Amino acid sequence: MTGTNHFLTGGLIGLTITNPFAAVPLAFLSHFVLDALPHFGVKFDKSIGRRPEIFTTVTRIDTFIALALLAFAFMAQPWLVGVCMLVALSPDFVWLYKFSIQEQFGKLPPAPKGRLSQFHKDIQRYEFKSGIYIELVIGVVLAAMFWSVA
């Protein structure tokens, strides 16, 4: 799932559940719920030694939108909204590291280590290129909900 959709989900949780002891764990769990849904993903292509260009393009656009949302959250919303956004995305931080070190520099697909990483990888069995359309629908619905509550 894109970072934008994780941020919007975490933000909604932070806006609607004002108890941080409930909101933060729910934001973390929301990550795995979203990743279990069909969504955008492109497998590492061994023949070219990297992911196809569509992955880079979507990732760049997603990063820009997600950072704008995060900046808005920390400037215009209660602190809990931004924290829940970060926590909702946090399981992907390990993939960012593995992408940067193993895939980008080492030209190898990232391999999961540990139980949580393996679980995280296993639930993402519904990743495919056309999943971007599912993500767009989810994103529009989440954004409408976020802006109506914010």
Side-chain angles (χ1 to χ4, degrees):
M1 191 65 64
T2 59
T4 298
N5 286 342
H6 286 302
F7 271 8
L8 287 168
T9 302
L12 275 168
I13 291 169
L15 283 168
T16 57
I17 300 173
T18 56
N19 179 345
F21 296 107
V24 171
L26 283 173
F28 184 77
L29 292 174
S30 76
H31 183 94
F32 300 104
V33 172
L34 288 179
D35 276 358
L37 298 173
H39 62 281
F40 174 75
V42 182
K43 302 291 183 209
F44 185 89
D45 187 340
K46 291 179 183 177
S47 68
I48 61 173
R50 60 181 169 77
R51 293 184 192 262
E53 189 62 33
I54 185 73
F55 177 80
T56 305
T57 302
V58 170
T59 301
R60 285 180 180 154
I61 293 168
D62 177 48
T63 300
F64 175 78
I65 295 169
L67 289 175
L69 281 169
L70 188 62
F72 168 77
F74 277 114
M75 290 188 313
Q77 298 298 320
W79 66 271
L80 185 58
V81 176
V83 168
C84 284
M85 284 178 158
L86 287 171
V87 169
L89 183 64
S90 67
D92 279 345
F93 293 161
V94 69
W95 296 118
L96 178 63
Y97 167 77
K98 288 180 180 193
F99 171 76
S100 297
I101 300 302
Q102 290 179 308
E103 189 173 318
Q104 192 66 19
F105 298 125
K107 300 296 183 199
L108 297 170
K113 308 276 194 247
R115 290 183 183 164
L116 185 60
S117 289
Q118 186 62 50
F119 170 74
H120 192 190
K121 180 180 180 279
D122 289 346
I123 63 170
Q124 297 195 52
R125 63 187 91 157
Y126 303 112
E127 280 188 327
F128 45 94
K129 194 182 332 183
S130 60
I132 193 68
Y133 301 113
I134 295 169
E135 292 231 29
L136 287 170
V137 170
I138 291 170
V140 167
V141 170
L142 287 171
M145 292 169 65
F146 182 85
W147 296 118
S148 72
V149 176

